[in-house]
Structure formats: structure tokens, C-alpha cells
PDB file of all heavy atoms in Angstrom:
ATOM      1  N   ASN F 186     114.454  96.519 101.518  1.00 97.00           N
ATOM      2  CA  ASN F 186     114.271  97.456 100.403  1.00 97.00           C
ATOM      3  C   ASN F 186     114.625  96.777  99.064  1.00 97.00           C
ATOM      4  O   ASN F 186     114.928  97.513  98.123  1.00 97.00           O
ATOM      5  CB  ASN F 186     115.123  98.673 100.636  1.00 97.00           C
ATOM      6  CG  ASN F 186     116.582  98.409 100.647  1.00 97.00           C
ATOM      7  OD1 ASN F 186     117.017  97.258 100.670  1.00 97.00           O
ATOM      8  ND2 ASN F 186     117.391  99.516 100.555  1.00 97.00           N
ATOM      9  N   ASP F 187     114.545  95.414  99.090  1.00 97.00           N
ATOM     10  CA  ASP F 187     114.892  94.693  97.843  1.00 97.00           C
ATOM     11  C   ASP F 187     113.727  93.914  97.274  1.00 97.00           C
ATOM     12  O   ASP F 187     113.923  92.902  96.651  1.00 97.00           O
ATOM     13  CB  ASP F 187     116.104  93.816  98.094  1.00 97.00           C
ATOM     14  CG  ASP F 187     115.834  92.797  99.222  1.00 97.00           C
ATOM     15  OD1 ASP F 187     114.826  92.956  99.906  1.00 97.00           O
ATOM     16  OD2 ASP F 187     116.635  91.893  99.374  1.00 97.00           O
ATOM     17  N   TYR F 188     112.523  94.398  97.554  1.00 97.00           N
ATOM     18  CA  TYR F 188     111.307  93.686  97.068  1.00 97.00           C
ATOM     19  C   TYR F 188     111.080  94.076  95.580  1.00 97.00           C
ATOM     20  O   TYR F 188     111.555  95.100  95.102  1.00 97.00           O
ATOM     21  CB  TYR F 188     110.127  94.074  97.874  1.00 97.00           C
ATOM     22  CG  TYR F 188     110.093  93.460  99.269  1.00 97.00           C
ATOM     23  CD1 TYR F 188     110.538  94.127 100.412  1.00 97.00           C
ATOM     24  CD2 TYR F 188     109.645  92.133  99.474  1.00 97.00           C
ATOM     25  CE1 TYR F 188     110.544  93.536 101.649  1.00 97.00           C
ATOM     26  CE2 TYR F 188     109.601  91.539 100.746  1.00 97.00           C
ATOM     27  CZ  TYR F 188     110.069  92.240 101.798  1.00 97.00           C
ATOM     28  OH  TYR F 188     110.083  91.669 103.053  1.00 97.00           O
ATOM     29  N   ASP F 189     110.272  93.220  94.944  1.00 95.00           N
ATOM     30  CA  ASP F 189     109.924  93.475  93.498  1.00 95.00           C
ATOM     31  C   ASP F 189     108.818  94.450  93.460  1.00 95.00           C
ATOM     32  O   ASP F 189     107.651  94.165  93.149  1.00 95.00           O
ATOM     33  CB  ASP F 189     109.535  92.161  92.816  1.00 95.00           C
ATOM     34  CG  ASP F 189     109.200  92.322  91.386  1.00 95.00           C
ATOM     35  OD1 ASP F 189     109.650  93.384  90.790  1.00 95.00           O
ATOM     36  OD2 ASP F 189     108.480  91.434  90.838  1.00 95.00           O
ATOM     37  N   THR F 190     109.100  95.737  93.817  1.00 97.00           N
ATOM     38  CA  THR F 190     108.097  96.809  93.807  1.00 97.00           C
ATOM     39  C   THR F 190     108.822  98.019  93.171  1.00 97.00           C
ATOM     40  O   THR F 190     110.063  98.041  93.041  1.00 97.00           O
ATOM     41  CB  THR F 190     107.668  97.140  95.218  1.00 97.00           C
ATOM     42  OG1 THR F 190     108.819  97.577  95.996  1.00 97.00           O
ATOM     43  CG2 THR F 190     106.962  95.972  95.868  1.00 97.00           C
ATOM     44  N   PRO F 191     108.109  99.060  92.770  1.00 97.00           N
ATOM     45  CA  PRO F 191     108.790 100.217  92.111  1.00 97.00           C
ATOM     46  C   PRO F 191     109.926 100.805  92.874  1.00 97.00           C
ATOM     47  O   PRO F 191     110.976 101.224  92.300  1.00 97.00           O
ATOM     48  CB  PRO F 191     107.618 101.219  91.949  1.00 97.00           C
ATOM     49  CG  PRO F 191     106.386 100.307  91.790  1.00 97.00           C
ATOM     50  CD  PRO F 191     106.624  99.149  92.705  1.00 97.00           C
ATOM     51  N   ASP F 192     109.839 100.909  94.216  1.00 97.00           N
ATOM     52  CA  ASP F 192     110.921 101.549  94.968  1.00 97.00           C
ATOM     53  C   ASP F 192     111.671 100.520  95.851  1.00 97.00           C
ATOM     54  O   ASP F 192     112.562 100.896  96.594  1.00 97.00           O
ATOM     55  CB  ASP F 192     110.434 102.737  95.807  1.00 97.00           C
ATOM     56  CG  ASP F 192     109.439 102.370  96.885  1.00 97.00           C
ATOM     57  OD1 ASP F 192     109.133 101.149  97.042  1.00 97.00           O
ATOM     58  OD2 ASP F 192     108.923 103.278  97.526  1.00 97.00           O
ATOM     59  N   GLY F 193     111.262  99.239  95.753  1.00 97.00           N
ATOM     60  CA  GLY F 193     111.964  98.225  96.516  1.00 97.00           C
ATOM     61  C   GLY F 193     111.423  97.933  97.884  1.00 97.00           C
ATOM     62  O   GLY F 193     111.823  97.003  98.569  1.00 97.00           O
ATOM     63  N   TYR F 194     110.421  98.747  98.309  1.00 98.00           N
ATOM     64  CA  TYR F 194     109.852  98.574  99.638  1.00 98.00           C
ATOM     65  C   TYR F 194     108.490  97.912  99.528  1.00 98.00           C
ATOM     66  O   TYR F 194     107.786  97.998  98.550  1.00 98.00           O
ATOM     67  CB  TYR F 194     109.691  99.964 100.282  1.00 98.00           C
ATOM     68  CG  TYR F 194     111.028 100.631 100.576  1.00 98.00           C
ATOM     69  CD1 TYR F 194     111.567 101.535  99.638  1.00 98.00           C
ATOM     70  CD2 TYR F 194     111.747 100.417 101.770  1.00 98.00           C
ATOM     71  CE1 TYR F 194     112.761 102.128  99.863  1.00 98.00           C
ATOM     72  CE2 TYR F 194     112.957 101.028 101.949  1.00 98.00           C
ATOM     73  CZ  TYR F 194     113.495 101.926 101.013  1.00 98.00           C
ATOM     74  OH  TYR F 194     114.680 102.488 101.241  1.00 98.00           O
ATOM     75  N   CYS F 195     108.067  97.243 100.632  1.00 97.00           N
ATOM     76  CA  CYS F 195     106.769  96.604 100.666  1.00 97.00           C
ATOM     77  C   CYS F 195     105.687  97.575 100.390  1.00 97.00           C
ATOM     78  O   CYS F 195     105.772  98.746 100.741  1.00 97.00           O
ATOM     79  CB  CYS F 195     106.543  95.996 102.082  1.00 97.00           C
ATOM     80  SG  CYS F 195     107.402  94.471 102.410  1.00 97.00           S
ATOM     81  N   ILE F 196     104.615  97.070  99.785  1.00 98.00           N
ATOM     82  CA  ILE F 196     103.412  97.917  99.473  1.00 98.00           C
ATOM     83  C   ILE F 196     102.195  97.419 100.264  1.00 98.00           C
ATOM     84  O   ILE F 196     101.960  96.186 100.311  1.00 98.00           O
ATOM     85  CB  ILE F 196     103.134  97.869  97.979  1.00 98.00           C
ATOM     86  CG1 ILE F 196     104.261  98.629  97.222  1.00 98.00           C
ATOM     87  CG2 ILE F 196     101.770  98.513  97.684  1.00 98.00           C
ATOM     88  CD1 ILE F 196     104.075  98.618  95.685  1.00 98.00           C
ATOM     89  N   ARG F 197     101.467  98.323 100.846  1.00 97.00           N
ATOM     90  CA  ARG F 197     100.266  98.021 101.599  1.00 97.00           C
ATOM     91  C   ARG F 197      99.165  98.986 101.249  1.00 97.00           C
ATOM     92  O   ARG F 197      99.380  99.967 100.588  1.00 97.00           O
ATOM     93  CB  ARG F 197     100.564  98.115 103.126  1.00 97.00           C
ATOM     94  CG  ARG F 197     101.551  97.120 103.671  1.00 97.00           C
ATOM     95  CD  ARG F 197     101.018  95.714 103.620  1.00 97.00           C
ATOM     96  NE  ARG F 197     102.012  94.738 104.194  1.00 97.00           N
ATOM     97  CZ  ARG F 197     102.901  94.056 103.525  1.00 97.00           C
ATOM     98  NH1 ARG F 197     102.995  94.270 102.182  1.00 97.00           N
ATOM     99  NH2 ARG F 197     103.686  93.250 104.105  1.00 97.00           N
ATOM    100  N   ASP F 198      97.928  98.636 101.661  1.00 98.00           N
ATOM    101  CA  ASP F 198      96.782  99.523 101.461  1.00 98.00           C
ATOM    102  C   ASP F 198      96.366 100.057 102.823  1.00 98.00           C
ATOM    103  O   ASP F 198      95.761  99.341 103.652  1.00 98.00           O
ATOM    104  CB  ASP F 198      95.660  98.650 100.865  1.00 98.00           C
ATOM    105  CG  ASP F 198      94.464  99.441 100.460  1.00 98.00           C
ATOM    106  OD1 ASP F 198      94.243 100.549 101.007  1.00 98.00           O
ATOM    107  OD2 ASP F 198      93.669  98.934  99.636  1.00 98.00           O
ATOM    108  N   TYR F 199      96.758 101.286 103.109  1.00 98.00           N
ATOM    109  CA  TYR F 199      96.511 101.907 104.424  1.00 98.00           C
ATOM    110  C   TYR F 199      95.176 102.636 104.434  1.00 98.00           C
ATOM    111  O   TYR F 199      94.920 103.547 103.597  1.00 98.00           O
ATOM    112  CB  TYR F 199      97.641 102.886 104.745  1.00 98.00           C
ATOM    113  CG  TYR F 199      98.974 102.229 104.873  1.00 98.00           C
ATOM    114  CD1 TYR F 199      99.926 102.322 103.807  1.00 98.00           C
ATOM    115  CD2 TYR F 199      99.394 101.559 106.038  1.00 98.00           C
ATOM    116  CE1 TYR F 199     101.185 101.699 103.934  1.00 98.00           C
ATOM    117  CE2 TYR F 199     100.625 100.946 106.106  1.00 98.00           C
ATOM    118  CZ  TYR F 199     101.497 101.079 105.079  1.00 98.00           C
ATOM    119  OH  TYR F 199     102.726 100.452 105.165  1.00 98.00           O
ATOM    120  N   LEU F 200      94.282 102.246 105.411  1.00 98.00           N
ATOM    121  CA  LEU F 200      92.991 102.968 105.531  1.00 98.00           C
ATOM    122  C   LEU F 200      92.811 103.519 106.953  1.00 98.00           C
ATOM    123  O   LEU F 200      93.354 102.929 107.887  1.00 98.00           O
ATOM    124  CB  LEU F 200      91.845 102.002 105.171  1.00 98.00           C
ATOM    125  CG  LEU F 200      91.402 100.920 106.129  1.00 98.00           C
ATOM    126  CD1 LEU F 200      89.970 100.494 105.898  1.00 98.00           C
ATOM    127  CD2 LEU F 200      92.311  99.670 105.974  1.00 98.00           C
ATOM    128  N   HIS F 201      92.115 104.595 107.023  1.00 98.00           N
ATOM    129  CA  HIS F 201      91.901 105.259 108.354  1.00 98.00           C
ATOM    130  C   HIS F 201      91.019 104.369 109.266  1.00 98.00           C
ATOM    131  O   HIS F 201      90.030 103.840 108.782  1.00 98.00           O
ATOM    132  CB  HIS F 201      91.259 106.588 108.114  1.00 98.00           C
ATOM    133  CG  HIS F 201      91.340 107.490 109.292  1.00 98.00           C
ATOM    134  ND1 HIS F 201      90.750 107.238 110.470  1.00 98.00           N
ATOM    135  CD2 HIS F 201      92.046 108.712 109.491  1.00 98.00           C
ATOM    136  CE1 HIS F 201      91.012 108.208 111.310  1.00 98.00           C
ATOM    137  NE2 HIS F 201      91.785 109.113 110.733  1.00 98.00           N
ATOM    138  N   VAL F 202      91.401 104.281 110.479  1.00 98.00           N
ATOM    139  CA  VAL F 202      90.687 103.369 111.441  1.00 98.00           C
ATOM    140  C   VAL F 202      89.268 103.758 111.623  1.00 98.00           C
ATOM    141  O   VAL F 202      88.381 102.938 111.885  1.00 98.00           O
ATOM    142  CB  VAL F 202      91.457 103.320 112.767  1.00 98.00           C
ATOM    143  CG1 VAL F 202      91.447 104.683 113.460  1.00 98.00           C
ATOM    144  CG2 VAL F 202      90.917 102.263 113.640  1.00 98.00           C
ATOM    145  N   VAL F 203      88.917 105.105 111.471  1.00 98.00           N
ATOM    146  CA  VAL F 203      87.538 105.491 111.709  1.00 98.00           C
ATOM    147  C   VAL F 203      86.709 105.010 110.492  1.00 98.00           C
ATOM    148  O   VAL F 203      85.556 104.573 110.671  1.00 98.00           O
ATOM    149  CB  VAL F 203      87.450 107.031 111.870  1.00 98.00           C
ATOM    150  CG1 VAL F 203      85.964 107.477 111.869  1.00 98.00           C
ATOM    151  CG2 VAL F 203      88.092 107.451 113.191  1.00 98.00           C
ATOM    152  N   ASP F 204      87.295 105.085 109.271  1.00 98.00           N
ATOM    153  CA  ASP F 204      86.586 104.544 108.088  1.00 98.00           C
ATOM    154  C   ASP F 204      86.318 102.996 108.346  1.00 98.00           C
ATOM    155  O   ASP F 204      85.257 102.468 108.050  1.00 98.00           O
ATOM    156  CB  ASP F 204      87.366 104.679 106.848  1.00 98.00           C
ATOM    157  CG  ASP F 204      87.427 106.131 106.350  1.00 98.00           C
ATOM    158  OD1 ASP F 204      86.492 106.909 106.720  1.00 98.00           O
ATOM    159  OD2 ASP F 204      88.375 106.504 105.672  1.00 98.00           O
ATOM    160  N   LEU F 205      87.327 102.339 108.899  1.00 98.00           N
ATOM    161  CA  LEU F 205      87.222 100.872 109.130  1.00 98.00           C
ATOM    162  C   LEU F 205      86.115 100.686 110.158  1.00 98.00           C
ATOM    163  O   LEU F 205      85.267  99.721 110.047  1.00 98.00           O
ATOM    164  CB  LEU F 205      88.529 100.322 109.585  1.00 98.00           C
ATOM    165  CG  LEU F 205      88.592  98.882 110.038  1.00 98.00           C
ATOM    166  CD1 LEU F 205      88.191  97.967 108.839  1.00 98.00           C
ATOM    167  CD2 LEU F 205      89.986  98.496 110.531  1.00 98.00           C
ATOM    168  N   ALA F 206      86.097 101.433 111.266  1.00 98.00           N
ATOM    169  CA  ALA F 206      85.121 101.285 112.302  1.00 98.00           C
ATOM    170  C   ALA F 206      83.690 101.435 111.805  1.00 98.00           C
ATOM    171  O   ALA F 206      82.800 100.719 112.100  1.00 98.00           O
ATOM    172  CB  ALA F 206      85.380 102.261 113.402  1.00 98.00           C
ATOM    173  N   LYS F 207      83.493 102.367 110.921  1.00 98.00           N
ATOM    174  CA  LYS F 207      82.197 102.614 110.363  1.00 98.00           C
ATOM    175  C   LYS F 207      81.662 101.458 109.484  1.00 98.00           C
ATOM    176  O   LYS F 207      80.478 101.190 109.436  1.00 98.00           O
ATOM    177  CB  LYS F 207      82.215 103.882 109.477  1.00 98.00           C
ATOM    178  CG  LYS F 207      82.318 105.176 110.395  1.00 98.00           C
ATOM    179  CD  LYS F 207      82.385 106.478 109.536  1.00 98.00           C
ATOM    180  CE  LYS F 207      82.443 107.698 110.435  1.00 98.00           C
ATOM    181  NZ  LYS F 207      82.516 108.932 109.639  1.00 98.00           N
ATOM    182  N   ALA F 208      82.618 100.741 108.930  1.00 98.00           N
ATOM    183  CA  ALA F 208      82.221  99.555 108.108  1.00 98.00           C
ATOM    184  C   ALA F 208      81.585  98.485 109.033  1.00 98.00           C
ATOM    185  O   ALA F 208      80.706  97.742 108.565  1.00 98.00           O
ATOM    186  CB  ALA F 208      83.449  98.973 107.384  1.00 98.00           C
ATOM    187  N   HIS F 209      82.054  98.389 110.290  1.00 98.00           N
ATOM    188  CA  HIS F 209      81.446  97.425 111.169  1.00 98.00           C
ATOM    189  C   HIS F 209      80.013  97.795 111.498  1.00 98.00           C
ATOM    190  O   HIS F 209      79.141  96.891 111.684  1.00 98.00           O
ATOM    191  CB  HIS F 209      82.279  97.340 112.419  1.00 98.00           C
ATOM    192  CG  HIS F 209      83.599  96.720 112.184  1.00 98.00           C
ATOM    193  ND1 HIS F 209      84.674  97.412 111.709  1.00 98.00           N
ATOM    194  CD2 HIS F 209      84.117  95.463 112.404  1.00 98.00           C
ATOM    195  CE1 HIS F 209      85.750  96.689 111.577  1.00 98.00           C
ATOM    196  NE2 HIS F 209      85.428  95.442 111.997  1.00 98.00           N
ATOM    197  N   VAL F 210      79.800  99.085 111.687  1.00 98.00           N
ATOM    198  CA  VAL F 210      78.334  99.527 111.916  1.00 98.00           C
ATOM    199  C   VAL F 210      77.517  99.100 110.719  1.00 98.00           C
ATOM    200  O   VAL F 210      76.409  98.614 110.822  1.00 98.00           O
ATOM    201  CB  VAL F 210      78.301 100.968 112.161  1.00 98.00           C
ATOM    202  CG1 VAL F 210      76.877 101.469 112.344  1.00 98.00           C
ATOM    203  CG2 VAL F 210      79.124 101.397 113.342  1.00 98.00           C
ATOM    204  N   VAL F 211      78.033  99.341 109.497  1.00 98.00           N
ATOM    205  CA  VAL F 211      77.273  98.988 108.276  1.00 98.00           C
ATOM    206  C   VAL F 211      77.007  97.473 108.260  1.00 98.00           C
ATOM    207  O   VAL F 211      75.931  97.033 107.863  1.00 98.00           O
ATOM    208  CB  VAL F 211      78.106  99.408 106.997  1.00 98.00           C
ATOM    209  CG1 VAL F 211      77.395  98.882 105.751  1.00 98.00           C
ATOM    210  CG2 VAL F 211      78.177 100.909 106.955  1.00 98.00           C
ATOM    211  N   ALA F 212      78.026  96.679 108.646  1.00 98.00           N
ATOM    212  CA  ALA F 212      77.822  95.229 108.635  1.00 98.00           C
ATOM    213  C   ALA F 212      76.794  94.762 109.659  1.00 98.00           C
ATOM    214  O   ALA F 212      75.931  93.928 109.382  1.00 98.00           O
ATOM    215  CB  ALA F 212      79.180  94.573 108.908  1.00 98.00           C
ATOM    216  N   VAL F 213      76.817  95.377 110.862  1.00 98.00           N
ATOM    217  CA  VAL F 213      75.807  95.041 111.859  1.00 98.00           C
ATOM    218  C   VAL F 213      74.401  95.411 111.389  1.00 98.00           C
ATOM    219  O   VAL F 213      73.474  94.663 111.502  1.00 98.00           O
ATOM    220  CB  VAL F 213      76.166  95.710 113.193  1.00 98.00           C
ATOM    221  CG1 VAL F 213      74.992  95.672 114.197  1.00 98.00           C
ATOM    222  CG2 VAL F 213      77.350  95.085 113.844  1.00 98.00           C
ATOM    223  N   ASN F 214      74.290  96.619 110.833  1.00 98.00           N
ATOM    224  CA  ASN F 214      73.023  97.059 110.274  1.00 98.00           C
ATOM    225  C   ASN F 214      72.518  96.064 109.242  1.00 98.00           C
ATOM    226  O   ASN F 214      71.299  95.742 109.137  1.00 98.00           O
ATOM    227  CB  ASN F 214      73.118  98.400 109.655  1.00 98.00           C
ATOM    228  CG  ASN F 214      73.322  99.537 110.710  1.00 98.00           C
ATOM    229  OD1 ASN F 214      73.077  99.352 111.904  1.00 98.00           O
ATOM    230  ND2 ASN F 214      73.739 100.700 110.250  1.00 98.00           N
ATOM    231  N   ARG F 215      73.402  95.603 108.392  1.00 98.00           N
ATOM    232  CA  ARG F 215      73.020  94.708 107.325  1.00 98.00           C
ATOM    233  C   ARG F 215      72.512  93.380 107.905  1.00 98.00           C
ATOM    234  O   ARG F 215      71.453  92.893 107.427  1.00 98.00           O
ATOM    235  CB  ARG F 215      74.238  94.441 106.398  1.00 98.00           C
ATOM    236  CG  ARG F 215      74.042  93.467 105.258  1.00 98.00           C
ATOM    237  CD  ARG F 215      75.346  93.363 104.434  1.00 98.00           C
ATOM    238  NE  ARG F 215      75.258  92.461 103.329  1.00 98.00           N
ATOM    239  CZ  ARG F 215      74.824  92.785 102.119  1.00 98.00           C
ATOM    240  NH1 ARG F 215      74.433  94.001 101.852  1.00 98.00           N
ATOM    241  NH2 ARG F 215      74.829  91.936 101.143  1.00 98.00           N
TER     242      ARG F 215
END
């Protein structure tokens, strides 16, 4: 909890797995 972030905790970009899964369909279609 001592990171150089506003609250000291690590920051990540969390996305829903179903949204991620749909991106693979888009990639295959492409």
C-alpha cells in the first residue's frame, strides 16, 4: 500500500470477461 498512486495501492484496468471474449470473435471475423 506504498505505491506512487493516489491511495497507495496498485492500479489496474479491470474488464468483464464476456466483453473480452466478444473481442476474440471480432478478431476472428476480421
Side-chain angles (χ1 to χ4, degrees):
N186 64 348
D187 57 349
Y188 287 97
D189 182 20
T190 60
D192 65 3
Y194 296 92
C195 284
I196 292 176
R197 296 291 183 266
D198 186 338
Y199 297 101
L200 73 158
H201 197 293
V202 66
V203 174
D204 288 336
L205 177 59
K207 289 178 178 178
H209 292 79
V210 179
V211 173
V213 167
N214 289 344
R215 180 178 178 87

